[in-house]
Structure formats: structure tokens, C-alpha cells
Amino acid sequence: MADLLRHPSIRHDIIRDGRIVDDDTIVLADDQPLPESGRVLVSLERAAREREVLVARPAGFGVRVPGETEPEAIVEALGSLEPLAVIAIVVPKSTDGRHFSLARLLRERFGFRGELRAVGDVLPDQLYFMHRCGYSAFEVRADKSLATGLRALAAFSVTYQAAADDPRPLWRRR
């Protein structure tokens, strides 16, 4: 997971809520000190150890979890999903779909309303389906285009089945 960490002073763009934005989240390794201010993203283990300090941060915090993580493990480690501003789910490779299930479970069964961010091997052609499963932000792989990702998010204008982004099937929306 070390390759998914960024130096706190390096800023980069992500797709959040259907727009390309400058990401202001500071991604920290477990041995890096907490900065004075700013929203931070830490490992689940660190969040469990330093929960009280992180919850007290005005800018909020988030956790980074592997795509195969069980949602119950996140709740168990933190006691609740309530204090989290972001859950960043690591996509290990584009052919591993377990992160899709994790995103849907966090949204639908556990009621998480914060930012669900896909990080790692995130390809533009998967963004539409990730969004349907509940993701709201995407760190597209560095060798891929954010503009292509935005186009992929708008690939379909109508959906028939219910999903995390709209729990109503088409016939209920009429």
C-alpha cells in the first residue's frame, strides 16, 4: 500500500461528485506525524489506535482499506462509521471486483453517506459501474485520463435497475 501514499505537499486532481477537483486530502503513512490542519487519510489500523485525536480534527479524516475488507471490520475497528469523512477503497487490480461489493455494502447495509473513494488500479472504463455501486470519488490511475473518466461517468443516460446511486428501478421513477 506504500505506493498509494503521496507526499503531503503534493497535490493532485481527482474526480469527485462528477467534477475534476484538486484533492486537498493528505494521505499519511502510519509513521508520519499528523499535520496541524487539513483532512487526512490514514490506515484503518492507525485510525483505530488514534481515533479520539482524529475525531477531534475539524477538517475530518478518512481511512484507507483494501478492497477485500469486510465492512464489519471497519465498524468494529472504529466503533462506528459516523466520524469518517472518507473511506478510500484500494482497488488492487482492475480484474478484482471485491471492492464493488464493499462499496455497495457500505452504502446500502451500513448507511455510509460520506465520500467513498476508489484508489489504486482505477480505470476510466469502470467508473460508471463504480458510481452505481456507491463510489463518489475516483483517483484514476496516473497513466489514464481524468477527462476520459468523466465521459465514462456519463456513458448511460438511463438505468433500469436499482443500485446504490438510485435505489428505485426505472418503473418506480416514472
Side-chain angles (χ1 to χ4, degrees):
M1 218 181 286
D3 59 331
L4 296 175
L5 299 177
R6 303 186 302 278
H7 189 276
S9 64
I10 297 173
R11 304 205 34 148
H12 74 288
D13 291 341
I14 65 170
I15 296 174
R16 179 183 291 140
D17 298 325
R19 296 187 338 263
I20 297 174
V21 298
D22 184 29
D23 183 27
D24 59 351
T25 305
I26 302 166
V27 182
L28 297 175
D30 284 350
D31 60 349
Q32 287 180 292
L34 283 172
E36 296 284 326
S37 63
R39 184 165 75 168
V40 296
L41 194 59
V42 298
S43 70
L44 182 59
E45 296 77 18
R46 182 173 184 174
R49 279 193 319 270
E50 300 177 27
R51 185 180 189 285
E52 291 77 26
V53 173
L54 291 165
V55 168
R57 295 178 65 81
F61 77 101
V63 295
R64 227 177 26 261
V65 296
E68 68 271 8
T69 303
E70 295 294 331
E72 295 86 0
I74 302 169
V75 174
E76 185 178 308
L78 299 175
S80 165
L81 297 179
E82 191 68 32
L84 294 173
V86 181
I87 298 176
I89 301 174
V90 180
V91 178
K93 57 185 177 180
S94 62
T95 57
D96 184 340
R98 293 177 287 180
H99 66 94
F100 287 103
S101 299
L102 176 57
R104 278 201 77 166
L105 288 169
L106 287 169
R107 289 285 190 221
E108 295 173 358
R109 188 175 297 166
F110 290 86
F112 182 67
R113 296 290 164 237
E115 178 182 302
L116 265 184
R117 182 185 298 193
V119 301
D121 194 17
V122 178
L123 302 176
D125 61 339
Q126 295 181 330
L127 298 194
Y128 177 79
F129 304 105
M130 289 178 171
H131 177 70
R132 295 279 299 158
C133 288
Y135 284 103
S136 55
F138 311 93
E139 285 186 27
V140 176
R141 205 167 75 184
D143 64 334
K144 301 298 178 187
S145 163
L146 288 171
T148 302
L150 282 180
R151 285 193 301 278
L153 281 171
F156 302 99
S157 60
V158 176
T159 57
Y160 296 104
Q161 70 278 27
D165 64 339
D166 191 340
R168 302 167 300 150
L170 181 63
W171 64 272
R172 288 250 185 216
R173 289 180 254 155
R174 293 181 176 240

